[in-house]
Amino acid sequence: MDIASLQNAARTVRKTILRTNARAGQGHTGGDLSETDILVTLFLHVLNLPGRDPQNPDRDRFILSKGHGVCGLYSTLATAGLIDAAWLDDYLTFDSHTPGHPVRQKTPFVELNTGALGHGLPVATGLALAAKRQNRSYRVYVLVGDGELQEGSNWESAMTAAHYDLDNLTVIVDRNTLQLADRTESIVGLEPLADKWRAFGFDLHEARGNDIPDLIRAFEATRTVAGKPHVILAHTRKGAGVSFIEDRAEWHHRIPTTEELERAYAELES
Ligand SMILES: Cc1ncc(C[n+]2csc(CCOP(=O)(O)OP(=O)(O)O)c2C)c(N)n1
Ligand SMILES: [Mg+2]
């Protein structure tokens, strides 16, 4: 798919997120919009999904460790034609295919139930180690929030991934500098974050995380380095794509009013 088509898909995903959260009356609008370009780049360009079959043993695995961003994932899967777009109408309703956090028994291409932060990278590390041990060629990608990196389990698995030379593992950090209510650096600072990953033995790449061509460049760069796990420090803006939502902590949980939805659509269509 060419760049313009990917960017167009990202606009569709953003509109779907806004509409779906507004209809449900709940959601995590800021985090969904922050990760949109990363998910579109992954699902429409990077991931190898043979036959588009969620059970194919050779499929690349993707884990949304920041599980609260699930509406971004459903919106991307629907835009990619990997799930039925009508399922989004039931977002956050009981027993639907689209619950409020990822549930692997409910939605194809969800590999792990997440929501309690800090569990995606440990499981991704295990999946990547299993691929090596079983001589399988699939790759494992995991998207973590930056606030999520305050969970110590991430750093235990980072040590493990480097110890086992898991170059089939790529961590993407959604580095929007905000967590639930404030800046990461005001709550428990992460910097110097790039140096930390390098010190843990990772092959590190930085990218503009709301810029699809730059993300593609970073994903391609990870493929040129063997023998180490990879991390892309994706510099994003929470709420990216809608001016009055961007970089505001209150939009972690907020959803658009009818009037805000119209304004957001007008911005995305201009
Ligand atoms: C273990 C755990 N602690 C707390 C929470 C509540 N929580 C949900 S989202 C969130 C903030 C996450 O911030 P970040 O990882 O930076 O995500 P993003 O900015 O992309 O929304 C918190 C604290 C949780 N889901 N799990
Ligand atoms: Mg964050």
Side-chain angles (χ1 to χ4, degrees):
M1 197 181 266
D2 62 28
I3 299 290
S5 304
L6 292 169
Q7 289 167 332
N8 202 33
R11 260 190 301 280
T12 302
V13 169
R14 287 194 159 88
K15 288 196 262 181
T16 308
I17 288 167
L18 291 159
R19 182 174 72 235
T20 304
N21 282 342
R23 190 194 298 113
Q26 286 181 63
H28 293 88
T29 308
D32 291 330
L33 294 172
S34 181
E35 75 200 14
T36 295
D37 304 286
I38 297 166
L39 294 183
V40 166
T41 302
L42 279 165
F43 277 95
L44 282 93
H45 188 80
V46 172
L47 295 182
N48 179 36
L49 300 173
R52 298 163 73 80
D53 173 5
Q55 304 300 331
N56 188 307
D58 294 322
R59 71 192 182 285
D60 285 348
R61 273 52 163 185
F62 170 73
I63 293 177
L64 181 71
S65 192
K66 45 166 285 192
H68 59 284
V70 74
C71 190
L73 178 60
Y74 298 147
S75 301
T76 304
L77 290 173
T79 301
L82 294 167
I83 63 168
D84 184 347
W87 288 357
L88 284 158
D89 297 342
D90 300 326
Y91 175 51
L92 270 165
T93 60
F94 180 69
D95 215 18
S96 77
H97 285 290
T98 48
H101 285 81
V103 178
R104 65 194 298 274
Q105 294 84 352
K106 300 279 186 188
T107 320
F109 300 102
V110 169
E111 304 283 352
L112 181 70
N113 301 11
T114 51
L117 298 167
H119 297 294
L121 183 50
V123 175
T125 299
L127 287 171
L129 183 58
K132 293 273 183 195
R133 297 254 159 116
Q134 295 167 3
N135 280 320
R136 290 204 173 273
S137 60
Y138 68 79
R139 306 179 69 85
V140 185
Y141 296 85
V142 54
L143 178 62
V144 298
D146 50 0
E148 180 178 11
L149 290 178
Q150 294 159 354
E151 296 285 350
S153 48
N154 290 299
W155 302 104
E156 296 177 36
S157 16
M159 275 193 290
T160 307
H163 178 82
Y164 287 105
D165 305 327
L166 298 181
D167 53 8
N168 54 349
L169 173 69
T170 302
V171 182
I172 307 106
V173 180
D174 188 341
R175 180 60 168 135
N176 55 33
T177 73
L178 282 169
Q179 52 191 91
L180 191 150
D182 203 350
R183 299 271 166 216
T184 57
E185 300 313 286
S186 305
I187 295 179
V188 176
L190 300 166
E191 295 296 338
L193 188 53
D195 291 346
K196 285 195 173 85
W197 283 106
R198 286 196 195 97
F200 272 75
F202 273 61
D203 162 47
L204 178 128
H205 302 265
E206 303 210 38
R208 293 187 297 276
N210 297 118
D211 177 336
I212 289 174
D214 205 47
L215 284 165
I216 291 174
R217 176 201 56 74
F219 279 111
E220 284 172 358
T222 64
R223 302 299 291 270
T224 66
V225 178
K228 288 174 167 195
H230 314 281
V231 58
I232 296 176
L233 194 49
H235 297 281
T236 50
R237 295 181 310 283
K238 204 154 173 168
V242 183
S243 61
F244 59 91
I245 301 180
E246 276 188 15
D247 201 36
R248 286 168 206 257
E250 75 258 27
W251 279 93
H252 179 79
H253 271 132
R254 263 205 63 190
I255 50 137
T257 62
T258 309
E259 186 266 326
E260 285 170 337
L261 190 60
E262 280 171 21
R263 272 169 60 205
Y265 264 53
E267 272 192 25
L268 288 165
E269 276 157 16
S270 66

